[in-house]
Amino acid sequence: MLPGGMVDLPAALAAVGSIVDLPTAEEIQNGSKGNLNVTYELPQRLNVGMSLQITPKWKTSVDVRWTEWSAFSDIYTKTYI
């Protein structure tokens, strides 16, 4: 435990990993072979903003944002072994 009742997350994960016999990050990195290709599509986005200083004390701003989330209507995954 850290001061204030906080948990040291890396130490806690290392403790759990030693109990369950999980590989460490170094073991995964050193034992990995082959290529990994990742492709993904980002949705289109449009952001527009405007700010207007009305008086020295008052400023107003407007933001309009649009994101084409429908690009993610179908998500496919492929696993090659």
Side-chain angles (χ1 to χ4, degrees):
M1 280 252 178
L2 296 173
M6 295 178 59
V7 175
D8 184 3
L9 188 58
L13 291 175
V16 170
S18 66
I19 294 170
V20 184
D21 196 29
L22 296 175
T24 64
E26 291 81 18
E27 290 172 339
I28 293 171
Q29 183 178 10
N30 295 334
S32 297
K33 295 179 182 175
N35 296 326
L36 173 65
N37 295 317
V38 177
T39 58
Y40 55 92
E41 183 177 338
L42 295 175
Q44 296 182 72
R45 297 182 343 173
L46 176 64
N47 298 334
V48 178
M50 181 175 65
S51 178
L52 178 63
Q53 186 77 42
I54 299 171
T55 69
K57 288 187 174 183
W58 290 89
K59 180 187 273 188
T60 186
S61 59
V62 176
D63 292 319
V64 177
R65 298 176 186 203
W66 171 80
T67 304
E68 184 188 25
W69 288 113
S70 62
F72 293 111
S73 61
D74 296 321
I75 298 176
Y76 300 101
T77 60
K78 294 181 183 178
T79 304
Y80 301 100
I81 298 176

